[in-house]
Amino acid sequence: MDTEAGLGSLPYVPGTGRPVPEAEPGLVERWRSQGGELVELLTQVRERLGGIAAFRLGPTPTVLVTDPHAVQHVLARHPERYVKRSHRARLLIGDGVLSATGAAWKQQRRLLQGQFTGTGMRRYEQRITEAARTTAERWAGYARTGQTLDVGQEMRRFALDSIWRSLTGHPLDDETERQLAAVAAVAAALPTLPADVSDARDAVAADLARIDAVALHAIEAARSGAAGPDGPGLLQVLIDAATEHPEYTDQLIRDELVTLLVAGHETTATTLTWLYLLLDRYPAAREQALAAGGEGSPQRRQGIQALVHETLRFYPSAWILPRYATEDDTLGGYAIEAGTDVLICPYLTHRDSELWPAPEDFDPRRFITPDGRPAHPGAYLPFGIGPRACLGMQFALRESTVLLERLLPAHTLAFQSTPTKAAYGITVRPDGPTPATLEPQLT
């Protein structure tokens, strides 16, 4: 028997439990007629029905899960009962580790996992530091000339440089950056592409061709032994794997490379952009982080990491996590039938006032103050939890911290305009440009 604390506190008995409360059809119809974002519907469903609730966009109900105990049940305790069916980005990332399932996913995950923890991460420390130094020098130039920069573009450039150095050993050059802009273009287009796979592929064919060309060139260069100034990168690990695992064809290596590019730069760039937009509204948070300790001190680093964590609470890297029930289950006392679509929504869990006091306030002290944040692992999951949690979590946190340690003391941003809303795709990103100038600091 698997008894879980929390909502319901009932023993697991397959196929038993109360029916999941379901939103009335009128709620969904009003949402459709208003052309709202999915997050708006999910917010209304949760507010009316609680942390486990159902709604219908088609003939069968979808179950929304935001209660932290239920989140942990689905993602961490019983991932074999709630699986991924098809990743929204498969068109872009193919059979990379994000979209792979079953035995293939286990093999791919095992190969990559060691690269992003402990010793593996230390291999990329210097590459991240060099990317941050390059960005800091560029920003110093902007400050001297008064040039306007776009914060989102700058953060994408930094994050792409970090992951490109880590993958290939080479710093990001201008031509590669131009070609890899296609990655962000396809990622942004995914929510609006036609449902038919062939039609969707045709709609972004030119961008996919550019991505494939960059990937092929990088693979050929690594295979020929043309290591970059920092030595071979993670791409070499994938190429070497082919000698023992024939499933690592050039196509799979391409898919893993593109997966790492997408996961390794788009989410970090978006988080850093949101962070600066939030600091524009809450400038005292920057001062608190810098005042926590001197340059290079553990206290300052902790303060800066708290800024990142609070930004991720507002805008988690994975704002929604779709799953599919493979068997009957009982979730928090409610019956879940096999075949049910389940949506985990960290975005809403992170804004639950029963878990997070004053959730709409940007307050990084939650992540420093004892008992400032909920202890339950299902209450804060910007990178997911359980066996399919994001592999690159430590990489993303490290590169964000390293960059901010350089930029925050040196400059504040004066935005010329800010986006008025968010766009909900693979990530939650600012829906518009972020032009700003830099104001040098004397601290």
Side-chain angles (χ1 to χ4, degrees):
M1 300 288 279
D2 178 15
T3 303
E4 298 188 29
L7 193 61
S9 297
L10 296 177
Y12 163 64
V13 181
T16 66
R18 308 184 302 277
V20 177
E22 186 172 327
E24 69 274 18
L27 177 67
V28 177
E29 292 309 312
R30 285 192 298 275
W31 169 77
R32 285 188 194 278
S33 67
Q34 294 165 0
E37 292 273 8
L38 176 60
V39 69
E40 296 168 352
L41 173 62
L42 301 185
T43 299
Q44 293 180 58
V45 170
R46 190 201 64 175
E47 287 176 348
R48 293 177 183 226
L49 300 174
I52 302 176
F55 62 97
R56 290 178 187 255
L57 295 178
T60 59
T62 296
V63 174
L64 171 66
V65 176
T66 59
D67 172 82
H69 300 279
V71 166
Q72 185 184 33
H73 178 105
V74 171
L75 295 180
R77 290 181 179 272
H78 302 294
E80 77 288 351
R81 297 180 197 160
Y82 298 91
V83 302
K84 296 176 95 170
R85 265 204 296 201
S86 178
H87 199 283
R88 291 167 291 167
R90 183 178 288 276
L91 179 72
L92 174 60
I93 63 176
D95 293 322
V97 67
L98 276 181
S99 60
T101 58
W105 168 75
K106 290 181 180 179
Q107 166 67 33
Q108 291 165 239
R109 176 95 182 189
R110 191 179 304 116
L111 177 69
L112 292 173
Q113 187 137 15
Q115 300 296 314
F116 291 103
T117 56
T119 303
M121 268 300 301
R122 287 196 287 274
R123 298 189 188 106
Y124 307 117
E125 285 275 351
Q126 187 58 36
R127 304 181 192 208
I128 292 171
T129 299
E130 285 300 310
R133 181 186 60 78
T134 299
T135 301
E137 290 175 353
R138 190 167 62 249
W139 279 40
Y142 296 150
R144 285 192 299 270
T145 63
Q147 179 180 342
T148 298
L149 58 99
D150 185 282
V151 178
Q153 292 177 4
E154 283 292 310
M155 294 310 168
R156 282 192 293 275
R157 189 173 183 181
F158 159 70
L160 188 57
D161 189 16
S162 292
I163 191 63
W164 189 250
R165 290 172 187 264
S166 300
L167 285 166
T168 69
H170 292 276
L172 183 70
D173 60 85
D174 291 343
E175 178 59 22
T176 301
E177 182 186 1
R178 280 193 292 271
Q179 296 301 317
L180 288 179
V183 172
V186 176
L190 285 173
T192 61
L193 291 178
D196 181 80
V197 174
S198 296
D199 290 344
R201 183 171 293 279
D202 288 345
V204 291
D207 282 328
L208 289 175
R210 291 166 64 193
I211 295 165
D212 288 347
V214 173
L216 178 61
H217 178 75
I219 292 167
E220 289 177 345
R223 187 170 278 138
S224 70
D230 295 325
L234 181 51
L235 181 55
Q236 190 64 51
V237 174
L238 298 172
I239 290 171
D240 292 345
T243 61
E244 297 182 18
H245 305 285
E247 61 269 26
Y248 277 88
T249 62
D250 279 3
Q251 181 62 48
L252 181 56
I253 294 171
R254 175 266 177 213
D255 292 348
E256 292 287 38
L257 172 61
V258 176
T259 296
L260 292 168
L261 282 172
V262 173
H265 94 277
E266 188 65 24
T267 54
T268 299
T270 301
T271 298
L272 288 167
T273 304
W274 279 123
L275 190 151
Y276 270 104
L277 288 169
L278 287 163
L279 290 182
D280 186 58
R281 291 166 49 196
Y282 300 91
R286 170 186 175 273
E287 304 305 325
Q288 290 166 359
L290 296 179
E295 180 180 352
S297 68
Q299 293 81 7
R300 177 175 286 190
R301 175 163 294 182
Q302 183 187 45
I304 288 173
Q305 289 172 341
L307 290 177
V308 176
H309 281 298
E310 179 71 342
T311 301
L312 286 165
R313 185 185 67 81
F314 265 66
Y315 302 106
S317 295
W319 80 274
I320 193 166
L321 301 168
R323 293 293 186 266
Y324 174 78
T326 60
E327 58 185 86
D328 290 349
D329 193 15
T330 302
L331 179 62
Y334 294 109
I336 304 294
E337 295 183 1
T340 299
D341 287 316
V342 174
L343 290 181
I344 307 293
C345 189
Y347 181 90
L348 293 181
T349 299
H350 292 179
R351 292 166 184 258
D352 186 341
S353 60
E354 294 185 5
L355 301 170
W356 303 89
E360 297 303 323
D361 290 347
F362 183 74
D363 186 3
R365 291 171 298 181
R366 302 176 200 273
F367 293 91
I368 298 175
T369 306
D371 301 321
R373 52 166 289 191
H376 196 285
Y380 180 68
L381 61 157
F383 297 95
I385 56 173
R388 291 205 73 126
C390 177
L391 272 170
M393 176 178 66
Q394 293 303 323
F395 188 96
L397 293 174
R398 185 72 188 120
E399 62 180 330
S400 297
T401 304
V402 168
L403 181 68
L404 292 169
E405 285 178 322
R406 288 177 176 265
L407 297 187
L408 281 181
H411 315 280
T412 56
L413 287 173
F415 282 96
Q416 297 174 0
S417 64
T418 56
T420 58
K421 60 180 182 177
Y424 296 82
I426 295 178
T427 60
V428 188
R429 56 184 174 79
D431 192 13
T434 48
T437 54
L438 294 170
E439 299 179 349
Q441 299 298 299
L442 299 178
T443 56

